[in-house]
Amino acid sequence: EAIVTSEELGQDLEHVEVLQKKFEEFQTDLAAHEERVNEVNQFAGKLIQEQHPEEELIKSKQDEVNASWQRLKGLALQRQGKLFGAAEVQRFNRDVDETISWIKEKGQLMASDDFGRDLASVQALLRKHEGLERDLAALEDKVKALCAEADRLQQSHPINASQIQVKREELIANWEQIRTLAAERHARLNDSYRLQRFLADFRDLTSWVTEMKALINADELANDVAGAEALLDRHQEHKGEIDAHEDSFKSADESGQALLAASHYASDEVKEKLTILSDERSALLELWELRRQQYEQCMDLQLFYRDTEQVDNWMSKQEAFLLNEDLGDSLDSVEALLKKHEDFEKSLSAQEEKIT
């Protein structure tokens, strides 16, 4: 009876399970003694049937034994119910403690101040955070189930209602805290990603501008018309590539302006990079225009040299014609010479227009 009337219900789940194991041993022992009680009842019944002179005493003892037996079985059922209820409450406490422990462990990761140093590291951190958010989404069902279990236990175990409510509130507080941390970290990582994406675009564009300037400055002025034409064609190809990058410059500028409009924590750096990018683009266009003028001047010069050379060659040939002392020795030969001279004068007029 001391076992079944014990008020000890355990301090934690392991303790309760030890008490349950001991009680199961007691129940086994109790079941083993039930046969002994039945034997006592059978023997008493036999004595009463035989009209034993102590019949009244026998009945009294029999009733006393049966009453004690029933009381013991009743107390055993009560003890079993109490231990079962204690196990439910302690199992709930353990599940809540384990869930809170997991939440706090993930909370330390959420509280990290590492938001990436470049685009690749930010993307890696975002993937890691999205994995944590998936874990949180899966945990939400467990948190809801534990809250529902808390409501049920408060109804079935009113004596433990206040302690269960404290656990429930502790769980909810930790859950809300990590959800807030997760949302804040995701927002910060997104801010970092947008910044690093802009900085990566900035580095790519400024590097491209440097390479393009080198290409534009690489060619020396031509020494003939064909070379000058080739320079102008190649220079125009460079302009085509510059025009093809206009969308990239526009996109980078829009990204930077969006960061400024959102009052991004790196607004000062973004503003500086936007200014540099605009200056670099303008300097590239100015350089291209300067070289275009130089190449066109080079073309004009080479055309002048070519035309001058052609005129010089023509005049050298015509000078030999004019120095010819053949004036003809017959009418036909003179007429032929006159025809040649007329052709020369026409050619001279044509050359004069070219020279002037």
Side-chain angles (χ1 to χ4, degrees), residues 53-71:
E54 298 294 334
E55 180 178 345
E56 291 302 323
L57 180 59
I58 291 170
K59 285 183 178 180
S60 175
K61 288 292 184 183
Q62 182 184 19
D63 291 342
E64 184 181 336
V65 169
N66 286 331
S68 295
W69 179 250
Q70 293 302 321
R71 180 172 179 277

Side-chain angles (χ1 to χ4, degrees), residues 1 4 26-41 61-77:
E1 191 168 320
V4 295
F26 164 76
Q27 286 181 309
T28 301
D29 189 46
L30 188 67
H33 280 78
E34 188 165 13
E35 183 62 31
R36 179 63 178 156
V37 173
N38 290 336
E39 290 175 357
V40 169
N41 280 320
K61 288 292 184 183
Q62 182 184 19
D63 291 342
E64 184 181 336
V65 169
N66 286 331
S68 295
W69 179 250
Q70 293 302 321
R71 180 172 179 277
L72 185 61
K73 289 176 70 176
L75 289 171
L77 284 174

Side-chain angles (χ1 to χ4, degrees), residues 13 15 34 64 68 75 80 99 106 127 182 199 204 230 238 259 267 300 324 341:
L13 184 59
H15 192 187
E34 188 165 13
E64 184 181 336
S68 295
L75 289 171
Q80 184 179 33
T99 302
K106 301 304 178 184
R127 286 193 296 271
L199 293 178
D204 288 345
H238 293 332
L259 290 172
S267 290
D300 292 341
N324 190 346
H341 193 76

Side-chain angles (χ1 to χ4, degrees), residues 212-226:
M212 187 55 63
K213 284 180 178 178
L215 281 176
I216 292 174
N217 280 319
D219 291 323
E220 295 183 358
L221 297 179
N223 295 318
D224 54 41
V225 173

Side-chain angles (χ1 to χ4, degrees), residues 4 27 63 138-139 166 195 208 225 237 260 280 297 308 351:
V4 295
Q27 286 181 309
D63 291 342
L139 185 67
V166 169
L195 173 63
W208 173 82
V225 173
E237 289 176 3
L260 295 180
E280 286 289 310
Q297 289 172 355
T308 301
Q351 292 297 328

Side-chain angles (χ1 to χ4, degrees), residues 196-340:
Q196 295 301 335
R197 176 75 271 173
F198 167 75
L199 293 178
D201 291 342
F202 167 81
R203 286 190 293 270
D204 288 345
L205 286 171
T206 52
S207 176
W208 173 82
V209 167
T210 300
E211 293 174 1
M212 187 55 63
K213 284 180 178 178
L215 281 176
I216 292 174
N217 280 319
D219 291 323
E220 295 183 358
L221 297 179
N223 295 318
D224 54 41
V225 173
E229 288 177 345
L231 279 178
L232 281 170
D233 289 342
R234 189 155 55 249
H235 195 59
Q236 195 58 42
E237 289 176 3
H238 293 332
K239 185 60 166 64
E241 189 173 350
I242 292 172
D243 291 341
H245 276 74
E246 276 302 301
D247 287 344
S248 297
F249 278 100
K250 182 179 179 182
S251 177
D253 184 71
E254 289 175 351
S255 297
Q257 295 299 337
L259 290 172
L260 295 180
S263 300
H264 194 278
Y265 63 84
S267 290
D268 290 343
E269 181 182 5
V270 171
K271 192 178 297 183
E272 178 187 358
K273 301 297 186 190
L274 283 174
T275 300
I276 292 173
L277 199 59
S278 177
D279 291 346
E280 286 289 310
R281 176 180 172 275
S282 297
L284 176 62
L285 290 173
E286 289 173 5
L287 174 62
W288 185 89
E289 179 60 24
L290 174 64
R291 294 296 280 177
R292 182 192 66 78
Q293 293 174 8
Q294 290 175 345
Y295 291 152
E296 288 186 350
Q297 289 172 355
C298 177
M299 171 63 87
D300 292 341
L301 180 62
Q302 294 304 324
L303 287 172
F304 170 75
Y305 285 158
R306 184 194 66 182
D307 292 345
T308 301
E309 184 177 356
Q310 289 175 350
V311 169
D312 282 343
N313 291 335
W314 179 86
M315 285 192 296
S316 295
K317 292 178 181 179
Q318 300 310 315
E319 187 175 351
F321 170 75
L322 292 175
L323 292 175
N324 190 346
E325 295 183 357
D326 183 13
L327 299 178
D329 55 3
S330 65
L331 180 63
D332 289 339
S333 63
V334 171
E335 288 179 347
L337 287 173
L338 283 171
K339 179 70 173 60
K340 286 184 179 181

